[in-house]
């Protein structure tokens, strides 16, 4: 039974490409957009209540030109590329179902529907229109009418209601029409300028869209600057729409199907979305929703436009105002904009020029989904900041450097671009804000990410050379090396002055400074050689030349732990290892099937090497013997860059031509180390020298600088160093998302707040409930300081002044500061919002605000002042205002209405406020006095809801943070266990001194992990640290299949009697009916386990034959007899069949108790199968299992509504519930292994439990072919120790 050692835990998606217009689409609950080589598909996850990345389709080898979603089948989407290839994808199965090589050119546009639902139409620049029925192989038919045009084609559109009706746009600004039963009208419409002069041939049709609710009308955009409505029946231009300025250009256009006659456009140079109605030549409404211009838009269909809820989440990739429940509304909204216009219900899929992607809710004027800009082209390199393991820099073909915070997966800094291709980067070892980069156009440069500018350039290479790599000397920050196509490796000072030039015979692709000697540098060359240079010799000749590769050498990397050891990756698909003290290769690594690119050493395990290749895989190698330990194939294209950080050495970052950055956990390679620390093992079993760790057969041991520094810190500490070691090593081994936040909250729960409250990372994370108000008030006050500034904070990516004030207002109203909210809204000019809320402060304050608004309108000379001045009792001022403007009649009416009262001196108090509100039939504001219990209850509920949301999104650590924020220790441990973060759960539980069952659950599962790793003695040591683990020790020792002497040693370590002593004690207890469980336990750890098996099964069957039995009566006993060694159990075929049935059936009941819903039916079915196959003698029948399966399925569909069941069903349901019993709420809920929702490109595996495709980590059963998801495997193993294949083998996914 196996699973991949390395596990994907994070993914940074690419941004949208800026090249082609037709690169976004939507269907139902899904939307898609294209990066350069991949299609990203997001889907509404109704459990987690937000849009999640569903899949990445990446088989195109060159830029995608267009995509089109089938209107007939929501699982089919078509795409084309400049490689002249069309691919039909099945979204649900995440694979391609058909491919076509186009021989006539590059497909520019795609459509569906002729002659049937399995046909795709496409057109190239010169035509004709082709029809491909993809279910019939490569058969392509040219449309007889749509060909032989006088101008090139740029786009075509089929009418959504009549696919036979086609509009074709041309590069000369003309449109051709094909209508069913009629001859094609070629170039029948020619768009003209406002001066009635024809546009030039360069003014092509850039966008075409049929009216989805009509038959004849077509919108089109010409040359990004002219929008017209065309009647296809008369071939006349109906309306020419007017843009506000000649400087505005339109990139995209879409009809709103839920609002007849309405459409939207996106400005190409600014993020302004405009709403239009065909009855008006000017825009109805404008929204500035982004700083950068639009690239493409798509109005989603009515199904995705369904009204959504008020729940708001913002984290990581999901900057969401998400929707709880979807209704089927497809009508105009009743909510008016600030200008009084009615906005349609619509969601706009927006792609921006900077690569950002979002789904904008027009009615609510907010984002339903927003993904900030990612790279849009191949990512060639990635490197962690030397000072901060949370910062990762990436270099891309798109000409930019991005710095990502891997805790949130957001880009925090982005370079300006326009540098050509950026091939490589290197961080300064001293100034953590400086990054050196090499380019295809402008040599190399140093970029200051905080200042957002380039501070120096290196121009020593020949003009026009490609600089393939840059390396900043980590031991001497004054030196930077660059290498390129001019056959040189140049070492320069920081000001760009060359110190030495190392000339090569051919282009130099790689260079790397020795981490042990500041004067040694190695290079990789196109001439197939590796060279080592020594700067101190003042010679341009290498001191070593290594030959052996049969193709160009790309990257070279020195070992950080073993001085003089160097590896090189080559286009010959191999990696070679060299020793500086020798002249030949000391190890050859073979396994990649394409050129090797990325190479990185692990900074703690001296023999661990990781490589990436053009074969789309990452391999992990043991350099001691050359073995490939793991192959990762989740990237969809060439893997270029790899990086690890010494402070978090078992986190690997990779980047690829598929434009993604992925994060991997390598902890599976060092699981025994984590458990050794939890078990308090001696340090010599954890930390050793690199030389010791290199011995073949030695288990993984830490040998890096950071682990030694942690050990020194612990040695200098006083007090409880064990607990401190758990904290320090937990962060060392931990994942980036939420680990530091979690330990901060643990410290607060322990009353150790001093160092936490000043931490910026804590303030930016999930904070404890007692700090929320004070922190958010502080944040709001900080944002309010912007009121003194004309502009917002300086710097790239920061919010505008208005955005910051809106954020401050939002924080204040959530915290109950109503008056501060009103003031900020008034500051923003949102007077309607301010005045609507102001009476709930007091009528006096509302009057004051009304008067301020009136004065403002008077200063603006606005006639809108009248209602505000009247309501604010400023009659005299209003009369003067109107009189001076010649509006004497109006002034008279105002004065007459006021009578003789002197409103200017009038006043109201809060009692009057209540009276007036009552007169308006509005309930006065109630006192905000709530009981403490109600407040706590509400806080707990919201924290639990947010924790569940994080868990469903694959973030169990953040889910645990939510529980710790309200001092809920059990809830925190439950989320960690359900997210399969077992080591972290065990560490947290020990530091918090928890003694309940949840900590023991984590410890038990970790002891099972020790078994899987063959570390039986480590499992015993771990269990013996905790009280109440005696039964777990018995089961562990029972399962150990080792020679008798070794088993007895294990018994001695566990504090158990020897095999012989156990047999004797079992015989003594056999006659005592009240000690049957203890008797069976002694038999199981004796030399006669088969006797214990027989006694145990008979006891279980006897208990199950009693009326009113429950799973608590039999589960522990079943777990004990199931611990019999597999080889011995399989010899007892009759008893084994009985045991398999009993464990499967009782396991199903336990799965119902724990809410492991996905394995309940498979467990029932498994029991049914074994009964049918073997006919064992058990107190169960086919009819009983079938009835309980039916009842359980009915409860899932109908809930616990008694009226939905017949009386017979109700009795059966009550019986089932009685058997199941109950357990604590904190311990129930399905297992969702962290990051199991991330898409991959690895082999498609179908679960043998439910025949569905497995998403996330896969666990293979004993036959090596059958697979289940890791989450399902964990749930199955927790309630039934035997494999789903009914072989008698145990399942151990831990």
């Amino acid at each position: 039974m196996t699973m991949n050692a390395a596990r994907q835990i994070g993914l940074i998606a690419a941004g949208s490409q800026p090249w082609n217009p037709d690169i976004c689409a939507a269907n139902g609950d899904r939307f898609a957009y294209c990066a350069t080589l991949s299609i990203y598909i997001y889907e509404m996850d109704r459990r987690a209540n937000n849009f999640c990345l569903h899949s990445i389709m990446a088989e195109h080898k060159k830029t995608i030109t267009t995509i089109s979603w089938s209107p007939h089948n929501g699982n089919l989407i078509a795409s084309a590329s400049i490689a002249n290839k069309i691919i039909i994808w099945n979204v649900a199965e995440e694979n391609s179902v058909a491919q076509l090589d186009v021989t006539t050119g590059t497909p520019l546009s795609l459509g569906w529907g002729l002659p049937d639902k399995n046909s795709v139409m496409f057109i190239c620049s010169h035509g004709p229109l082709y029809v491909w029925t993809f279910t019939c192989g490569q058969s392509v038919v040219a449309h007889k009418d749509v060909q032989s045009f006088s101008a090139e084609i740029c786009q075509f559109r089929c009418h959504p209601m009549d696919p036979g009706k086609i509009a074709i746009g041309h590069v000369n600004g003309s449109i051709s029409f094909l209508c069913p039963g009629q001859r094609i009208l070629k170039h029948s419409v020619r768009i003209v300028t406002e001066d009635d002069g024809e546009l030039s041939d360069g003014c092509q049709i850039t966008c075409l869209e049929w009216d989805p609710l009509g038959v004849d009308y077509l919108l089109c955009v010409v040359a990004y600057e002219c929008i017209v409505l065309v009647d296809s029946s008369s071939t006349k231009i109906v309306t020419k729409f007017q843009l506000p300025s000649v400087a505005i250009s339109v990139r995209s256009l879409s009809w709103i199907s839920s609002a007849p006659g309405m459409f939207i456009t996106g400005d190409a140079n600014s993020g302004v979305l405009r709403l239009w109605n065909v009855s008006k030549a000017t825009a109805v409404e404008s929204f500035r929703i982004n700083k950068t211009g639009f690239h493409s838009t798509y109005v989603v269909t009515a199904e995705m436009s369904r009204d959504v809820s008020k729940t708001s989440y913002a984290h990581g990739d999901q900057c969401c105002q998400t929707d709880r429940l979807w209704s089927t509304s497809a009508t105009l909204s009743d909510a008016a904009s600030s200008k009084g216009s009615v906005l349609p219900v619509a969601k706009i899929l927006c792609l921006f020029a900077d690569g950002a992607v979002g789904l904008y809710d027009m009615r609510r004027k907010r984002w339903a989904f927003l993904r900030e800009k990612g790279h849009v082209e191949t990512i060639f390199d990635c490197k962690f900041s030397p000072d901060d393991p949370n910062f990762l820099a990436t270099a891309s073909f798109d000409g930019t450097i991005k710095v990502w915070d891997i805790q949130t997966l957001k880009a925090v800094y982005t370079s300006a671009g326009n540098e050509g291709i950026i091939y490589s980067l290197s961080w300064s070892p001293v100034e953590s804000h400086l990054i050196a980069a090499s380019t295809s156009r402008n040599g190399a440069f140093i970029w200051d990410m905080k200042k957002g500018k380039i501070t120096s350039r290196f121009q020593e290479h020949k003009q026009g050379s490609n600089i393939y790599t840059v390396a900043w000397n980590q031991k001497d920050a004054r030196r930077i090396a660059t290498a390129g196509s001019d056959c040189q490796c140049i070492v320069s000072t920081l000001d760009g002055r060359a110190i030495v030039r190392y000339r090569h015979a051919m282009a130099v692709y790689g260079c790397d400074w020795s981490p042990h000697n500041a004067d040694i540098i190695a290079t990789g060359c196109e001439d197939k050689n590796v060279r080592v240079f020594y700067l101190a010799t003042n010679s341009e000749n290498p001191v070593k030349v290594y030959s052996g590769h049969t193709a160009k050498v790309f990257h070279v990397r020195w070992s950080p732990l073993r001085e003089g050891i160097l590896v090189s990756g080559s286009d010959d698909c191999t990696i070679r290892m060299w020793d500086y003290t020798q002249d030949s290769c000391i190890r050859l690594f073979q396994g990649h099937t394409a050129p090797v690119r990325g190479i990185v050493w692990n900074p703690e395990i001296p023999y661990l090497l990781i490589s990436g290749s053009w074969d789309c895989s990452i391999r992990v190698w043991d350099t001691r013997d050359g073995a490939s330990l793991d192959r990762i194939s989740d990237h969809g294209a060439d893997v270029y860059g790899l990086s690890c950080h010494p402070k978090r050495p078992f986190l690997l970052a990779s980047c690829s031509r598929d434009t993604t950055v992925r994060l991997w956990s390598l902890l599976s390679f060092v699981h025994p180390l984590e458990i050794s620390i939890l078990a308090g093992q001696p340090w010599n079993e954890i930390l050793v020298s690199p030389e010791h760790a290199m011995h073949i057969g030695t288990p993984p041991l830490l040998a890096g600088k950071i682990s030694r520094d942690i050990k020194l810190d612990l040695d200098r500490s006083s007090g409880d160093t064990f607990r401190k070691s758990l904290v320090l090593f937990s962060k060392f081994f931990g994942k980036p998302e939420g680990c530091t936040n979690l330990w901060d909250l643990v410290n607060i729960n322990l009353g150790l707040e001093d160092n936490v409250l000043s931490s910026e990372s804590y303030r930016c994370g999930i904070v404890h409930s007692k700090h929320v108000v004070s922190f958010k008030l502080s944040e709001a006050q900080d944002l309010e300081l912007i009121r003194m500034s004309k502009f917002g904070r300086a710097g790239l990516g920061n919010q505008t002044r208005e955005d910051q004030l809106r954020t401050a207002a939002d924080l204040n109203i959530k915290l109950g500061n109503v008056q501060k909210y009103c003031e900020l809204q008034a500051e923003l000019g949102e007077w309607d919002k301010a005045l609507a809320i102001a009476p709930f402060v007091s009528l006096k304050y509302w009057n004051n605000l009304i008067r301020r608004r009136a004065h403002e309108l008077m200063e603006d000379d606005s006639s809108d002042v009248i209602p505000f001045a009247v309501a604010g009792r400023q009659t005299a001022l209003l009369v003067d205002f109107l009189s001076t403007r010649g509006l004497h009649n109006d002034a008279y009416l105002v004065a007459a209405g006021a009578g003789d009262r002197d409103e200017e001196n009038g006043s109201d108090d809060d009692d009057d406020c209540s009276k007036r509100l009552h007169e308006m039939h509005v309930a006065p504001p109630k006192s905000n006095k709530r009981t403490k219990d109600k407040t706590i209850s509400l806080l707990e509920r919201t924290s639990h809801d947010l924790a569940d949301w994080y868990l469903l999104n694959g973030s169990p650590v953040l889910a645990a943070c939510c529980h710790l924020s309200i001092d809920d220790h059990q809830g925190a441990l439950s989320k960690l266990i359900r997210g399969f973060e077992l080591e972290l759960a065990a560490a947290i539980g020990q530091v918090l001194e928890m003694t309940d069952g949840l900590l023991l659950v984590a410890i038990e599962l970790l002891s099972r992990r020790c078994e899987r790793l063959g570390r039986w003695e480590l499992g015993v040591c771990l269990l013996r640290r905790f009280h109440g683990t005696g039964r777990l020790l018995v089961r562990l020792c029972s399962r150990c299949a080792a020679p008798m002497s070794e088993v007895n040693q294990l018994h001695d370590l566990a504090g158990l009697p020897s095999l012989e002593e156990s047999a004797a004690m079992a015989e003594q207890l056999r006659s005592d009916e009240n000690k049957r469980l203890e008797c069976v336990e002694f038999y199981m750890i004796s030399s006669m386990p088969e006797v214990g098996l027989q006694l145990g099964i008979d006891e279980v069957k006897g208990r199950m034959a009693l009326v009113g039995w429950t799973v608590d009566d039999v589960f522990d006993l079943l777990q004990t007899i199931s611990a019999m060694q597999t080889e011995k159990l399989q010899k007892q075929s009759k008893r084994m069949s009985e045991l398999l049935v009993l464990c499967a059936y009782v396991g199903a009941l336990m799965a119902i108790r724990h809410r492991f819903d996905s394995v309940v039916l498979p467990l029932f079915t498994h029991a049914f199968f074994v009964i049918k196959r073997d006919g064992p003698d058990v107190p169960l029948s086919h009819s009983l299992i079938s009835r309980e399966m039916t009842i359980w399925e009915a409860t899932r569909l109908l809930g616990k509504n008694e009226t939905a069941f017949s009386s017979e069903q109700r009795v059966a349901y009550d019986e089932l519930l009685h058997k199941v019993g109950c357990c604590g709420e904190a311990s129930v809920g399905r297992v969702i292994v962290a990051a199991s929702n991330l898409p991959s490109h690895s082999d498609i595996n179908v679960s043998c439990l439910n025949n569905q495709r497995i998403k996330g980590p896969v666990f293979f059963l004993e036959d090596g072919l059958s697979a289940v998801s890791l989450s399902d495997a964990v749930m199955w193993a927790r309630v039934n120790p035997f494999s789903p294949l009914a072989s008698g083998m145990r399942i151990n996914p831990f």
Side-chain angles (χ1 to χ4, degrees), residues 1251-1282:
N1251 292 321
Q1252 295 180 1
R1253 177 174 178 169
I1254 298 170
K1255 192 166 187 177
V1258 177
F1259 183 79
F1260 289 95
L1261 301 178
E1262 62 267 24
D1263 62 356
L1265 300 173
S1266 303
V1268 295
S1269 71
L1270 181 56
S1271 297
D1272 282 349
V1274 170
M1275 288 186 284
W1276 181 289
R1278 285 190 58 185
V1279 297
N1280 177 13
F1282 293 108

Side-chain angles (χ1 to χ4, degrees), residues 269-271 288-293 352 795-800 803:
N269 299 320
S270 65
R288 186 177 183 86
I289 61 175
N290 197 34
K291 296 177 182 177
T292 55
F352 295 99
L796 295 174
N798 281 317
Q799 293 180 312
T800 63
D803 289 339

